[in-house]
Amino acid sequence: MTASTGTSTSATLLAVTEPGPAGTWTSGSPYPGGTAKPLGTEHFRIGSITKTFVATAILQLVDEGSIELDEPIETYLPTVVPNGANVTVRQVLNHTSGLYDYMKGEAWSTNRWRGDARFTTYSPDQLLAEAFRHEPYFAPGTDFRYSNTNYIVAGKLIEAVTGQPYSTVIEHRILGPLNLAGTSFPGATPSLPEPAVHATAKLENGQTVDVTEQNVSLDWAAGEMISTTYDLQAFFEALLGGNLISEESLAQMRTTVPMGMGFHYGLGLERFDLPCGGPLWGHGGQLLGYVTYAYRRDDGRSLTMLLASGEGDGFVSFASATGAAYCLS
């Protein structure tokens, strides 16, 4: 597994749990070009896996009766979302709202090099203003299109209902109870807590730049979080094991629409269908220099993988790793 994932990256972390062969495999170095080997306990950026934490907090509020999945988002966020009377909470969480993805705009994505602008601080309202300058992709509920705007709206929803920052809500409801001490919300802080996996990216002009430090307020509730392989395993174990939300809410979370390439999307949760049969549940995350996959099979066997400094979405490496972990063991 290490050989299949580490050929084009500066560092690879791969953790697999029981049942079946288990352990942590690493390759490369936590410092690009370095000689020290990764420990497997380093912090790294998890990008869109943040969305699963956000959706979990919302479903906890659903369980408590504070939010209804099929209620218009306008009910909770008056005048915030254009056509919000026709966009439901469910459609926001499963990307069927049609809302334009603000990260498609030039210089609005942390998946691309932004030079000195990578240290700029953004507010959630600025992100939504950029999104709502554009027409929706389609009428709510008529199609699927992954849009980071949905989870900026989801973060605002948590704050409107609870009266607290969305990060504080997740810390109190999820991180604290599960003792996920390696998981954090950096806000406008550009650095990673040490020990950390550092990363680089190669630009179109051939220049290699260090992308470890950047202000990810541009991602906010759509992808700002930092974590470790251990914490991600513990989170998905608790969530998919039924320890964070009710059985009904977990069933709603696992009700999916097709994404393509063997993936389906639920409420902040992805399903990946293994080539040897059976589904994995989890989420992937990508942020310049960092590609992460965290998935779990219903028998409890989980796979968490980080690829640092690689190119693209790392899907081939993910497919080979899941094949080895689930189809060959």
Side-chain angles (χ1 to χ4, degrees):
M1 285 188 279
T2 301
S4 70
T5 59
T7 55
S8 62
T9 62
S10 62
T12 299
L13 309 182
L14 183 63
V16 181
T17 64
E18 298 176 335
T24 299
W25 292 261
T26 68
S27 66
S29 172
Y31 293 90
T35 58
K37 298 300 181 185
L39 302 173
T41 57
E42 289 87 356
H43 300 86
F44 50 87
R45 302 192 188 277
I46 64 172
S48 285
I49 300 177
T50 301
K51 293 179 173 71
T52 311
F53 287 86
V54 171
T56 300
I58 288 176
L59 285 163
Q60 289 179 338
L61 294 167
V62 169
D63 285 336
E64 295 165 11
S66 299
I67 295 175
E68 294 185 17
L69 286 174
D70 294 312
E71 187 73 13
I73 197 69
E74 182 79 7
T75 301
Y76 309 103
L77 294 171
T79 73
V80 171
V81 178
N83 194 33
N86 295 309
V87 176
T88 67
V89 173
R90 185 189 303 274
Q91 290 164 351
V92 166
L93 295 181
N94 70 4
H95 298 290
T96 60
S97 69
L99 297 178
Y100 181 85
D101 187 353
Y102 72 93
M103 285 197 184
K104 297 301 181 184
E106 185 176 353
W108 284 88
S109 173
T110 52
N111 285 343
R112 295 186 285 273
W113 176 247
R114 295 178 295 129
D116 290 342
R118 71 190 186 279
F119 297 116
T120 301
T121 298
Y122 295 84
S123 72
D125 288 342
Q126 286 178 288
L127 309 182
L128 292 183
E130 169 62 18
F132 299 151
R133 291 196 308 107
H134 304 267
E135 291 296 315
Y137 293 120
F138 48 78
T142 62
D143 204 348
F144 169 90
R145 180 151 179 167
Y146 192 96
S147 172
N148 291 286
T149 303
N150 286 309
Y151 277 77
I152 304 303
V153 173
K156 295 273 287 185
L157 171 62
I158 292 173
E159 297 191 344
V161 171
T162 65
Q164 297 179 304
Y166 96 95
S167 56
T168 299
V169 173
I170 292 175
E171 287 168 352
H172 289 172
R173 288 174 171 267
I174 301 172
L175 305 190
L178 296 181
N179 194 28
L180 304 184
T183 303
S184 60
F185 298 84
T189 302
S191 60
L192 287 168
E194 295 290 347
V197 173
H198 297 242
T200 60
K202 189 173 183 179
L203 307 184
E204 291 182 358
N205 63 7
Q207 179 186 5
T208 297
V209 292
D210 191 307
V211 298
T212 307
E213 293 195 350
Q214 55 176 304
N215 179 333
V216 290
S217 60
L218 185 56
D219 286 311
W220 200 55
E224 73 164 301
M225 291 176 72
I226 294 166
S227 193
T228 66
T229 58
Y230 173 83
D231 277 14
L232 290 178
Q233 288 172 336
F235 168 62
F236 281 105
E237 175 72 26
L239 172 62
L240 297 168
N243 296 322
L244 289 177
I245 57 178
S246 69
E247 183 177 346
E248 169 60 22
S249 285
L250 185 56
Q252 295 290 337
M253 201 175 205
R254 288 165 58 129
T255 300
T256 62
V257 293
M259 295 180 69
M261 295 183 67
F263 290 92
H264 296 72
Y265 207 92
L267 305 184
L269 189 69
E270 293 174 345
R271 187 186 93 215
F272 176 70
D273 294 331
L274 290 164
C276 55
L280 300 180
W281 296 94
H283 212 289
Q286 184 176 0
L287 192 151
L288 188 63
Y290 300 88
V291 174
T292 308
Y293 290 94
Y295 285 84
R296 180 184 182 272
R297 193 167 61 186
D298 282 343
D299 65 355
R301 184 165 177 76
S302 68
L303 178 147
T304 306
M305 180 173 69
L306 166 73
L307 304 170
S309 308
E311 297 180 3
D313 61 9
F315 175 74
V316 172
S317 296
F318 168 72
S320 64
T322 54
Y326 293 97
C327 299
L328 301 181
S329 61

